[in-house]
Amino acid sequence: MGADDKTIDPLFYDAVEYAVTKEYTSIDEIKDYLGIGYNRAVLLLEQMEEKGIAIWEYDGEISRYKIITPLAQKITRQEKKEPNPGIANAKQSDSKVLGYGGFEWLIAGISFIVIMFVFISCSNRSPTSKMDYCSDDKTAYSYAEKFVSSHLKAPSTAKFASYYDIESYKPAECKFNFIGYVDAQNSFGATLRTKFNALVRYDPNTDKYYLENLDM
């Protein structure tokens, strides 16, 4: 399912605005720039792929995303031109806001104090522990799909079996083995089904995924 205005991540345009200044970017760069988790950075780049803004590349050692600059610039320009509904309705709501009585303002003040108290309390808590990607086979499978795609004649036509339709197991810590299939076009434009057996490894030290073995 492609990303649309209803499902697109609220930080999508911020990610595009950052990526448009670069020829290549990565999950780690998006994660660090926006201060978000790994999985959300993956989701943002996948949505950029669906919009045609980024193309995932893997050369056997480094995985990264190539930014299609003209299209990314076009999307950022469109976003800046779109009017903000809140601004458009501001004048209409001014009279209503100014017409609030003392009771409404009292409730608003109390609500503000409660929100600030909750915010301060949350900020003083210890940070949550980092997600254990050595046990996250769903994220590992998304990378297995990308690794397999890089070996296809027409990666953009690839349609993989869902995570729930494949065989998977962990041969060792931080390693994931996936046995599944992918439908994709060959050099002549005919769609063929290809079975694959992919071994993917996550390295906690580099926070990256690597392809250790692939049989197709």
Side-chain angles (χ1 to χ4, degrees):
M1 181 182 295
D4 53 34
D5 292 338
K6 295 182 180 179
T7 60
I8 199 166
D9 192 287
L11 291 177
F12 176 77
Y13 293 103
D14 291 332
V16 173
E17 190 171 350
Y18 168 73
V20 76
T21 63
K22 308 171 71 65
E23 182 179 0
Y24 292 93
T25 191
S26 66
I27 296 171
D28 290 333
E29 288 183 356
I30 295 295
K31 176 171 69 77
D32 294 340
Y33 177 76
L34 296 176
I36 57 178
Y38 189 89
N39 283 351
R40 190 173 184 184
V42 171
L43 175 63
L44 283 167
L45 283 165
E46 287 179 349
Q47 291 182 347
M48 290 169 66
E49 282 187 281
E50 293 175 2
K51 292 285 189 179
I53 298 171
I55 299 176
W56 186 80
E57 294 184 353
Y58 177 72
D59 62 4
E61 295 182 359
I62 300 176
S63 62
R64 59 186 182 179
Y65 289 80
K66 180 176 178 60
I67 303 302
I68 310 304
T69 305
L71 184 56
Q73 290 175 333
K74 180 180 178 181
I75 288 181
T76 54
R77 285 197 297 267
Q78 289 176 345
E79 172 65 8
K80 291 179 179 179
K81 288 180 180 179
E82 291 180 359
N84 187 329
I87 296 176
N89 296 327
K91 292 184 178 181
Q92 298 178 9
S93 61
D94 279 347
S95 58
K96 185 176 181 181
V97 172
L98 295 176
Y100 281 167
F103 179 74
E104 286 84 355
W105 282 112
L106 176 62
I107 295 299
I110 294 174
S111 300
F112 176 77
I113 293 173
V114 171
I115 292 173
M116 290 300 297
F117 176 78
V118 172
F119 175 78
I120 294 173
S121 298
C122 291
S123 64
N124 290 332
R125 294 178 182 175
S126 58
T128 57
S129 58
K130 186 177 181 181
M131 183 172 180
D132 181 15
Y133 290 108
C134 283
S135 301
D136 186 4
D137 50 354
K138 289 186 179 180
T139 299
Y141 181 56
S142 69
Y143 275 90
E145 290 181 343
K146 296 179 186 298
F147 291 134
V148 172
S149 293
S150 66
H151 289 77
L152 299 175
K153 295 292 183 181
S156 61
T157 65
K159 294 182 179 180
F160 285 85
S162 74
Y163 167 79
Y164 301 100
D165 294 329
I166 64 168
E167 296 180 36
S168 64
Y169 63 93
K170 293 185 63 178
E173 183 67 16
C174 297
K175 290 188 178 183
F176 309 86
N177 203 109
F178 302 103
I179 302 174
Y181 64 86
V182 57
D183 296 330
Q185 293 181 3
N186 60 13
S187 302
F188 302 99
T191 300
L192 300 177
R193 173 162 293 183
T194 303
K195 294 183 178 180
F196 64 82
N197 187 329
L199 178 61
V200 176
R201 174 176 60 88
Y202 172 73
D203 187 345
N205 296 322
T206 61
D207 195 25
K208 295 182 182 298
Y209 288 85
Y210 299 91
L211 178 66
E212 291 210 333
N213 186 63
L214 176 62
D215 294 325
M216 294 178 63

